[in-house]
Amino acid sequence: DQQVKQNSPSLSVQEGRISILNCDYTNSMFDYFLWYKKYPAEGPTFLISISSIKDKNEDGRFTVFLNKSAKHLSLHIVPSQPGDSAVYFCAASSGHFTGTASKLTFGTGTRLQVTL
Amino acid sequence: DAGVIQSPRHEVTEMGQEVTLRCKPISGHDYLFWYRQTMMRGLELLIYFNNNVPIDDSGMPEDRFSAKMPNASFSTLKIQPSEPRDSAVYFCASSLQGGYGYTFGSGTRLTVV
């Protein structure tokens, strides 16, 4: 039972263009969402997050959008750079606003390749 | 800060053997998580501890898997007996808060032949 789904296993984008990575979730109790980036032979590292009371959060070239009614979030990278080539994981937790968040549920990941 | 330290980085073992993966969390972090990465399921939570106490082990696939956290600075994940389908990358992560702020280790790539 995959509560967080990333339906695109891979994505290829040209340098300078926009990369859009998508994520869907099924658990309506999730109230905090995160994106992690993972390079080969390394552990995932935190990239950006958003709480369920917002619909957009921006950090430099990275923007996360949340559509609660559709249970969908996306990560936009503009402009894409070769160093962005990595696997991106979407993650979610519940209990953010009650201070009881305990664990992250991750998706299957999307491999992004930024070509020259 | 050395971060989360996992050992070994790579492990190759024969089916039926016991495998022990080790993790040293970041000092002061009171949550510790064990995840397994596979192509089919992505990052799958196996078990997590809060203040050295196992809180949720519902992700542990079978009785062949066990995890311990004898103190705040050390945890082990043991597979006995190991099977080829256990081949995956196993990550340990620690955090100050349960739902975010995770720091992952570099992982242990386990191959069971």
Side-chain angles (χ1 to χ4, degrees):
Chain A
D1 178 23
Q2 199 76 20
Q3 296 186 62
V4 178
K5 301 176 184 179
Q6 295 176 256
N7 292 318
S8 297
S10 64
L11 175 68
S12 183
V13 173
Q14 273 191 325
E15 182 181 11
R17 300 289 187 109
I18 183 171
S19 294
I20 300 176
L21 295 91
N22 294 304
C23 177
D24 298 293
Y25 61 96
T26 57
N27 188 340
S28 58
M29 298 300 291
F30 287 149
D31 56 7
Y32 199 78
F33 305 89
L34 308 89
W35 285 93
Y36 279 75
K37 180 166 75 171
K38 183 187 177 306
Y39 292 119
E42 295 182 10
T45 56
F46 170 74
L47 186 58
I48 193 170
S49 63
I50 188 168
S51 73
S52 58
I53 61 171
K54 295 187 175 182
D55 54 18
K56 176 183 174 181
N57 188 26
E58 194 170 350
D59 183 2
R61 297 185 298 112
F62 302 90
T63 302
V64 56
F65 295 92
L66 175 63
N67 182 333
K68 277 200 322 182
S69 61
K71 293 190 176 67
H72 177 82
L73 64 157
S74 61
L75 174 68
H76 292 210
I77 307 173
V78 183
S80 301
Q81 299 174 353
D84 297 328
S85 297
V87 177
Y88 290 78
F89 289 97
C90 172
S93 68
S94 58
H96 172 70
F97 295 102
T98 57
T100 59
S102 58
K103 62 183 182 181
L104 290 179
T105 300
F106 285 84
T108 50
T110 296
R111 182 177 302 277
L112 173 66
Q113 183 174 7
V114 180
T115 59
L116 298 174
Chain B
D1 192 343
V4 176
I5 300 173
Q6 289 187 247
S7 65
R9 289 297 307 271
H10 302 274
E11 177 80 39
V12 180
T13 190
E14 290 186 347
M15 184 174 64
Q17 296 297 306
E18 177 181 296
V19 175
T20 299
L21 312 182
R22 297 172 175 79
C23 175
K24 177 178 168 57
I26 290 175
S27 177
H29 281 189
D30 53 3
Y31 281 87
L32 184 139
F33 306 85
W34 282 101
Y35 282 85
R36 176 170 68 175
Q37 183 189 3
T38 62
M39 289 296 292
M40 291 299 296
R41 300 180 68 86
L43 279 167
E44 179 184 18
L45 178 64
L46 300 177
I47 185 171
Y48 78 94
F49 297 82
N50 180 215
N51 292 320
N52 313 337
V53 177
I55 303 300
D56 183 354
D57 65 355
S58 59
M60 297 284 262
E62 305 170 26
D63 290 346
R64 297 185 297 106
F65 285 69
S66 62
K68 294 182 179 180
M69 191 164 186
N71 56 62
S73 59
F74 185 65
S75 177
T76 59
L77 177 68
K78 185 177 295 187
I79 308 172
Q80 164 66 12
S82 58
E83 297 182 3
R85 60 192 166 124
D86 302 330
S87 297
V89 181
Y90 291 79
F91 287 101
C92 175
S94 70
S95 72
L96 271 175
Q97 296 172 293
Y100 17 73
Y102 284 28
T103 299
F104 281 84
S106 297
T108 294
R109 181 174 293 277
L110 173 65
T111 303
V112 183
V113 298

